[in-house]
Amino acid sequence: MPLREVEEPSGRETRLVVLVVVVALAVLLLLARFRFPSADLTVVVPAPGPLAGLAARATFDEMASAMAGLADRVEPSIAVLDIEPVPPLEHAAAGRGAAPVSPRGAPRSPAVSPTPTPPPPMPRRPHVVAALRIRSDLVVAYVGAGMRVATKEGEPAAEVIALSADPAIVILRAFAPAVSIAATVEGFAGFSYAGVVDVTPGGPTVQPTFVGRADRVEVVGWSRSLISLGRSDIPAGTFVFSIDGRLIGLAIRSGDSVSLVPASALIAAVADVPPKVAGPPTP
Amino acid sequence: MTHPPRDVRRREIGGQDRLDRRLGAPPPPPSPLAWLLSLLRTRSALGMAPSLTPAVIFLPLGALLGPRGLGLLSARMLERLDLVVAVALTVLGVLVGVALGREIRSARRLFVAASLESFVTIVTVTVATIYFVNATAVPIGAPLVVFALALGLSASASSATSADPDFEPAAAVATRVADLDDVLPIVIAVAAFALLPAAPPQDLWLLAAAPIGVGAAVGAIGWLLFERAESTAERAVFVLGALALAGGAAAYLGVSPLAIGLVAGLTWTILPGRADRIVQDDLLKVQHPLVVLLLVTAGAMATPSVAAAWLLAPYLLCRLAGKTLGAWFSARLVDVRPADLASYLMPPGVLALAFALNFRQALGGPAGDLLLSTVAIGTAAFELFALAVLPHWRRGATV
């Protein structure tokens, strides 16, 4: 058929185009009225480039890359918390008064290991510690003996709840940082690399460490066993994460060494804290 | 309007090779049962005959063999195949570049029509995706504009495999339009790569210039080597080596292998000599296995999800509307009925999956998987749609 003899697009063609476009738009507008059921994207390690598997890389480069990735993943859940020494008079009154929250479950039998000796006092000067969002309305931090959460001038004091199992661990009712931890490690057995998350005045930072032997110890006051690391180079008050961004636990002083409060123990400890009930609207 | 050599047409899938031309095209089935049985014919399943496209067979096969099926293609193996996919995308880009180099001199009007049709489809799907994602809050995990543009580029691909160009004049024109409408999306993809969040601002010039520079360099290398090969085997080594160099460079630099292949193919066609014919003859031998590899890999990598099902709405609806509208505008330039042109351009073919695989490598993570899954399901749906419904659009179609 000579191409010149093909007629201009006829009415049929135009009607077909209009029909298809109108129907497509109408259906699209109708479907756009429905909201997508909310679901969190799972934390996924970005796929490596096509040549990543072929290129030989130095081990330290991989560790640096892993730490940088870990920092990106945990930063939304970590806040910088200012703490200050408790004045002596207030420290004495606090010892007589408060009713802290108890973790779930009865204390362990006398067959458990004795309560660890009180940890040596933290530096008695204002400094910053890491606070981790453990629940949508709660953050947890290790402030150490003789320290308290600093109150910033002009800002209302945050609601602070101390754990009876270890008064050096505090829970704050706060709504920042914005993201709760996404996943935790169950049954940490040691002998793996981990990231120690601490804070500087500028923000969170991560240090790599190799965790060797990790023994379970029963401690009075905790419904779950703690993890004894038998070493003291992990600073107390830091949070230990696995390389893929899952929380292993909170480092606390335990005698001359450091123990980890496992993530499950922390979560169980805050489970008894009731959520904040919205009060009556202010006039 | 001069007609290009026959072996230029339908270079991506379903194209007839020398064996097909000797055997002749199969007669169309006379009844629905015979039509259904014809779907199982080996030559159709392998894309050697125009009655069925391989996407309908090999995408589900890839899903079955992949990590979420039988696990014969493990996740680790798919990671290793990423580099092979980059080389395969380069080959497709070379085929587009060779077709462009031949058509651009004799059929500029055809090229303009193809680009216009492609542009309308890209804009339609991109805008619809941006609106839909904003309205429904579908989590995509990537910058919205980049993701929507990637979906639009994937939607613009056409394969025109639903009819034999030797029997229907409109199909001959549509086949050439399908060959040329991939050029504009490949060019836009170069710009899209610069919008990716991983692209450092100071390297934008590198992302823009690399496909041209590397493609031209590979083209020059091939032009110098191919005709000087002393044997067929040596020539094949040179061709595959040049393609591997192009694909590897694209993967290393993080740029589009389709763009590098386009520039290389264009270079071989423009430069004097027979480099383009040599490349085309050698690539014909690996064309079908390459297509099968891409389809099976895409099927295995696709991750069905609720979000992918939600994004099917703008993809399917607006690709249909965009192709129809684009064909209505372009038909005036190529003297073909718009309905005929739209029906032939409706099947996406392997190029849609090629774009999706390319952007999956660039976006990474859940966003890349989401894009690939949406395009894979949409491709299979459109291929079935093209088989079952579109022949009724055409006036006077043979049965």
Side-chain angles (χ1 to χ4, degrees), chain A residues 1 3 6-10 12-14 16-17 20-21 24 27-29 31-32 34-37 39 41-42 44 46-48 50-51 53-54, chain B residues 80 82-83 128 131-132 135-139 141 248 251-252 306-307 310 313-314 317-318 320-321 324-325 328 332 335 337-339 365 393 395:
Chain A
M1 176 188 304
L3 297 177
V6 174
E7 66 272 19
E8 291 291 317
S10 64
R12 173 182 177 271
E13 312 287 351
T14 305
L16 180 65
V17 168
V20 169
V21 172
V27 174
L28 187 71
L29 290 172
L31 293 176
F34 298 95
R35 293 281 289 184
F36 183 78
L41 278 179
T42 55
V44 174
L51 295 181
L54 300 178
Chain B
R80 300 284 187 228
D82 257 352
L83 184 56
Y131 164 74
F132 190 77
T136 60
V138 178
Y252 179 77
V306 176
W310 274 69
L317 293 170
C318 295
L320 178 67
T324 309
L325 194 61
W328 190 79
R332 299 163 187 266
D335 296 329
R337 293 191 188 92
W393 280 24
R395 191 181 297 174

Side-chain angles (χ1 to χ4, degrees), chain B residues 22-362:
Chain B
R22 286 205 294 271
L23 292 177
S31 68
L33 180 60
W35 174 79
L36 189 63
L37 290 176
S38 73
L39 300 181
L40 302 176
R41 286 185 298 157
T42 303
R43 289 176 64 240
S44 299
L46 290 177
M48 293 181 179
S51 61
L52 177 69
T53 57
V56 179
I57 299 293
F58 289 108
L59 276 176
L61 180 64
L64 181 65
L65 297 176
R68 276 160 289 278
L70 299 176
L72 295 176
L73 291 177
S74 63
R76 187 178 177 85
M77 188 182 300
L78 291 176
E79 279 183 26
R80 300 284 187 228
L81 282 177
D82 257 352
L83 184 56
V84 179
V85 167
V87 176
L89 296 181
T90 305
V91 171
L92 292 179
V94 166
L95 295 173
V96 175
V98 169
L100 173 65
R102 290 178 179 164
E103 298 275 11
I104 196 64
R105 294 175 212 168
S106 58
R108 287 199 176 92
R109 195 176 167 92
L110 199 69
F111 176 68
V112 171
S115 298
L116 178 62
E117 172 268 318
S118 182
F119 178 76
V120 171
T121 308
I122 292 170
V123 169
T124 306
V125 174
T126 301
V127 170
T129 302
I130 291 174
Y131 164 74
F132 190 77
V133 171
N134 275 329
T136 60
V138 178
I140 58 176
L144 177 56
V145 172
V146 178
F147 186 90
L149 185 59
L151 205 60
L153 293 175
S154 302
S156 67
S158 306
S159 69
T161 56
S162 56
D164 192 323
D166 294 331
F167 288 84
E168 301 179 30
V173 175
T175 300
R176 296 169 71 190
V177 171
D179 281 346
L180 294 175
D181 74 351
D182 301 318
V183 177
L184 182 64
I186 292 177
V187 172
I188 295 177
V190 175
F193 270 64
L195 296 176
L196 292 171
Q202 63 272 19
D203 291 340
L204 290 182
W205 68 268
L206 177 67
L207 292 173
I212 300 172
V214 174
V218 171
I221 292 170
W223 178 63
L224 292 171
L225 287 178
F226 294 163
E227 290 191 67
R228 288 169 177 76
E230 295 180 351
S231 66
T232 305
E234 188 179 70
R235 191 184 71 194
V237 168
F238 287 158
V239 170
L240 293 177
L243 294 172
L245 173 63
Y252 179 77
L253 294 173
V255 296
S256 171
L258 286 167
I260 290 182
L262 173 74
V263 174
L266 193 60
T267 304
W268 286 325
T269 310
I270 291 174
L271 291 175
R274 297 176 51 248
D276 57 331
R277 296 303 300 258
I278 292 171
V279 165
Q280 194 167 24
D281 288 344
D282 285 344
L283 287 183
L284 276 177
K285 299 170 190 168
V286 298
Q287 177 179 332
H288 294 306
L290 203 66
V291 167
V292 171
L293 171 71
L294 282 177
L295 292 174
V296 170
T297 303
M301 288 180 176
T303 310
S305 64
V306 176
W310 274 69
L311 287 176
L312 276 178
Y315 184 79
L316 294 177
L317 293 170
C318 295
R319 185 179 185 272
L320 178 67
K323 284 292 178 185
T324 309
L325 194 61
W328 190 79
F329 284 120
S330 311
R332 299 163 187 266
L333 297 174
V334 294
D335 296 329
V336 174
R337 293 191 188 92
D340 291 348
L341 184 61
S343 68
Y344 288 129
L345 294 181
M346 206 57 71
V350 75
L351 254 296
L353 291 163
F355 281 111
L357 284 167
N358 196 184
F359 277 101
R360 178 184 178 276
Q361 290 176 342

